Amino acid sequence: MAEYDLLVLNGVAITHNETNEYDIAVKDGKIAKLVRRGEISISQAKKTIDAEGAMVMPGGVDAHVHLDEPPLFGKGSTADNYETGTRSAIAGGTTTVITFAPQNKAEPSLLKCLAATHARADNNCYSDYSFHLICSNAGPLAISEFAALREAGISSLKIYMTYEALQLQDSEVLDVLFEARKQKIVTMIHAENGAIIDWTIKKLEEKELFAPKYHVNSHPPVAEIEATYRAISLSEFIDVPILIVHVSSPSAAKHISDAQKKNLPVYAETCPQYFTLTRKDLDKPGFEGAKCVCSPPPREGVQDHEGIWKGLEDGTFTILSSDHCPFIFDNTETGKSSVITKEYPVGHFKYIPNGCPGVETRLALAMSAKRLTMERFVEVTSTNAAKLYGLYPKKGGLVPGESDADLTIWYPEGMKEYQLNNEMLHHNVDYTPYEGQTIKQWPRYTILRGEVVWDKDNGGITKPKGYGKFLKRDTSSLAGPRNAEEWDVEKF
Ligand code: DUC
Ligand code: ZN
Ligand code: ZN
């Protein structure tokens, strides 16, 4: 009888700290062993894949994905549900997504939101998945439920410093951070100053400036820079780990790297839109610019992109996520075009739903840019998200006996080049912000728990929905509070 279920042969295995010509043996959905190329015989396995010298990595972990959400960030609801969003993920080499379970401000319980999100995802997923709770009502019930969330396998929350429907005041942020510290929960923070944004919107409206491009003016860098510094200060006061999500501004990143130099447990995320898009992408004829409206917005140009790459290279950014937040462009009910009215024929920027699709293009865009060492690429696109959110080494690694056999196998160098177009993609969106862009690589196979779920040259998606499973998560394995003692107000 064959000893292994699957052998991946002739690949270059890459993890966050090693690159080697290893063949990979898989048994019962786990990585069984890594052996020097050629040291294992194909007769030992039921099935083999020849990687033909290409890179083989732990499957991508995308820790920032919005699926099946109601209107939260302007008008319009997300276009992808758990079926279409996770289908898109595996077609782009991502085997695990962490999506959001949103709490409505009128709903005091987080556990209820968790149950409702489970119901939307159950039996619908192609990739494995977990949830971050979005806490928009940090009242006593929500706070008292943090311990139960941990038992339910949720070890992270997201909070907002802007958006009427979501914003917490600083005292509420402190309430969340205080309990998060007790329960060993990582708090993700959308760091933009809501008051600065609202005030700037009024100034634009006074001048009757409504086109999509004014979204950029209404979210000036200072809103992100100030809120990032404030979020870091509040987390330092409570001594608790935070992750600043979707950082777009190199000046905000500077606050983050200064905090990291002080050994504060401050983590950060950026996304491909912040090294590919600029404000010019929102300044297109008519309403076209709405396709690239997201928050924070894309910044000025090459210098900002360079700042983002520098942060990815030097470790300021812990993770590279997609912030996949999809809205159909040409849909007047729930999509971007729902903000076009008689009164506002080119829409009004402040109502445009904020977000862009990107779960499928995240890995290929970052790979094609050829800026990161391959080990760093694995670290920011897979391993660090798994570590930060309590999934490592089950996810994000190739640890024999411990890691799920989740693999992304690329094409051999130079074998594929594409003009990216929306028809290639598997999301439920009618555009990609990256239409026409040259892509030098794409995942050829995606393997989830030992099963091929994506085979680009042989039919694409190969497993039905429902194979993806919910992942209960543990405590973060990245550094936590600096002081192990209980927080004590008398120390201040
Ligand atoms: N924040 C997100 O995380 N996603 C979409 C919109 C936003 O502001
Ligand atoms: Zn956000
Ligand atoms: Zn988001």
Side-chain angles (χ1 to χ4, degrees):
M1 226 185 49
E3 199 179 336
Y4 302 111
D5 300 322
L6 173 70
L7 288 177
V8 178
L9 303 173
N10 304 318
V12 177
I14 302 172
T15 64
H16 67 286
N17 59 5
E18 191 184 4
T19 300
N20 253 312
E21 291 183 347
Y22 284 141
D23 292 337
I24 300 174
V26 172
K27 172 105 182 135
D28 296 333
K30 292 270 179 197
I31 302 292
K33 63 178 175 180
L34 274 57
V35 294
R36 298 239 157 248
R37 191 184 283 177
E39 284 183 3
I40 202 160
S41 147
I42 59 170
S43 65
Q44 288 175 264
K46 292 182 195 152
K47 185 179 163 142
T48 59
I49 290 178
D50 184 354
E52 299 186 88
M55 295 177 291
V56 182
M57 307 174 167
V61 178
D62 191 342
H64 191 144
V65 176
H66 299 265
L67 301 177
D68 212 341
E69 287 181 7
L72 292 169
F73 322 111
K75 245 178 142 183
S77 36
T78 45
D80 279 311
N81 56 23
Y82 278 84
E83 177 179 343
T84 62
T86 58
R87 181 179 72 195
S88 190
I90 61 160
T94 289
T95 47
T96 296
V97 295
I98 313 183
T99 65
F100 294 94
Q103 181 194 31
N104 186 298
K105 267 203 189 291
E107 169 55 69
S109 167
L110 290 170
L111 289 173
K112 267 199 196 162
C113 307
L114 176 61
T117 308
H118 266 299
R120 292 195 280 272
D122 265 0
N123 294 314
N124 280 324
C125 293
Y126 287 87
S127 69
D128 284 353
Y129 62 97
S130 184
F131 311 124
H132 312 285
L133 262 291
I134 289 181
C135 181
S136 62
N137 174 342
L141 181 64
I143 298 285
S144 74
E145 290 175 338
F146 284 18
L149 288 177
R150 286 304 316 273
E151 278 172 24
I154 305 296
S155 50
S156 51
L157 298 166
K158 184 178 176 191
I159 59 173
Y160 287 76
M161 298 168 84
T162 183
Y163 291 120
E164 205 181 337
L166 299 163
Q167 184 172 348
L168 300 186
Q169 299 309 314
D170 288 355
S171 61
E172 296 169 312
V173 173
L174 289 170
D175 285 340
V176 168
L177 294 178
F178 187 71
E179 187 64 16
R181 184 183 199 277
K182 282 199 212 155
Q183 303 300 340
K184 298 191 164 57
I185 283 175
V186 174
T187 305
M188 307 158 79
I189 304 187
H190 180 129
E192 285 189 291
N193 179 317
I196 294 179
I197 292 168
D198 292 344
W199 186 87
T200 315
I201 288 174
K202 268 202 225 132
K203 292 286 162 216
L204 289 158
E205 287 179 325
E206 280 165 23
K207 291 188 144 194
E208 299 192 6
L209 301 172
F210 304 123
K213 67 177 180 181
Y214 295 110
H215 173 74
V216 180
N217 302 71
S218 70
H219 289 246
V222 63
E224 185 180 5
I225 295 163
E226 186 281 332
T228 299
Y229 187 75
R230 183 156 39 102
I232 292 168
S233 306
L234 298 177
S235 75
E236 181 176 13
F237 179 42
I238 303 296
D239 184 22
V240 64
I242 56 166
L243 172 107
I244 309 286
V245 288
H246 47 50
V247 176
S248 71
S249 147
S251 305
K254 174 74 168 63
H255 284 318
I256 292 161
S257 72
D258 288 348
Q260 292 167 342
K261 283 182 195 130
K262 286 163 63 185
N263 278 328
L264 303 182
V266 171
Y267 302 101
E269 170 194 84
T270 192
C271 314
Q273 46 274 39
Y274 302 122
F275 59 71
T276 49
L277 304 180
T278 69
R279 67 186 304 158
K280 282 208 186 84
D281 290 290
L282 283 82
D283 186 7
K284 299 242 171 93
F287 189 59
E288 190 71 11
K291 289 180 175 173
C292 296
V293 166
C294 58
S295 287
R299 299 293 176 193
E300 295 301 314
V302 175
Q303 243 182 323
D304 292 291
H305 292 177
E306 281 305 308
I308 296 298
W309 279 118
K310 181 176 166 292
L312 279 165
E313 285 158 1
D314 71 15
T316 304
F317 295 120
T318 322
I319 59 177
L320 175 71
S321 307
S322 66
D323 195 3
H324 179 80
C325 190
F327 300 93
I328 297 176
F329 179 69
D330 195 10
N331 179 318
T332 52
E333 297 296 313
T334 59
K336 298 264 187 188
S337 302
S338 62
V339 305
I340 298 176
T341 59
K342 267 204 192 122
E343 191 183 0
Y344 301 116
V346 282
H348 185 320
F349 68 86
K350 84 170 171 186
Y351 301 118
I352 298 173
N354 283 206
C356 301
V359 69
E360 193 167 341
T361 46
R362 175 184 71 121
L363 295 179
L365 285 171
M367 179 63 83
S368 295
K370 292 186 181 252
R371 291 292 300 254
L372 303 177
T373 67
M374 285 302 98
E375 291 169 8
R376 182 74 185 137
F377 177 91
V378 170
E379 190 165 49
V380 296
T381 60
S382 177
T383 313
N384 275 354
K387 288 183 174 175
L388 181 67
Y389 296 121
L391 287 170
Y392 188 81
K394 182 177 171 64
K395 302 296 185 186
L398 300 178
V399 184
E402 301 207 44
S403 297
D404 283 354
D406 296 354
L407 300 170
T408 303
I409 305 177
W410 297 85
Y411 281 95
E413 178 77 18
M415 187 166 163
K416 287 272 163 179
E417 191 167 296
Y418 296 92
Q419 298 296 112
L420 192 53
N421 66 72
N422 196 49
E423 274 68 57
M424 287 171 55
L425 304 178
H426 297 74
H427 55 199
N428 181 41
V429 190
D430 55 354
Y431 77 97
T432 166
Y434 312 109
E435 187 74 29
Q437 200 152 312
T438 301
I439 295 283
K440 300 199 181 86
Q441 261 290 9
W442 197 271
R444 184 180 194 177
Y445 303 99
T446 306
I447 296 173
L448 175 58
R449 285 179 275 109
E451 298 284 337
V452 176
V453 290
W454 166 252
D455 179 346
K456 184 158 172 41
D457 298 322
N458 293 291
I461 306 282
T462 55
K463 271 268 195 198
K465 72 171 184 174
Y467 179 62
K469 291 279 166 280
F470 175 68
L471 298 164
K472 277 189 147 194
R473 293 185 286 117
D474 214 325
T475 311
S476 171
S477 52
L478 297 186
R482 290 192 298 171
N483 192 334
E485 286 162 32
E486 226 177 282
W487 193 88
D488 181 0
V489 70
E490 290 185 43
K491 290 203 179 126
F492 297 92

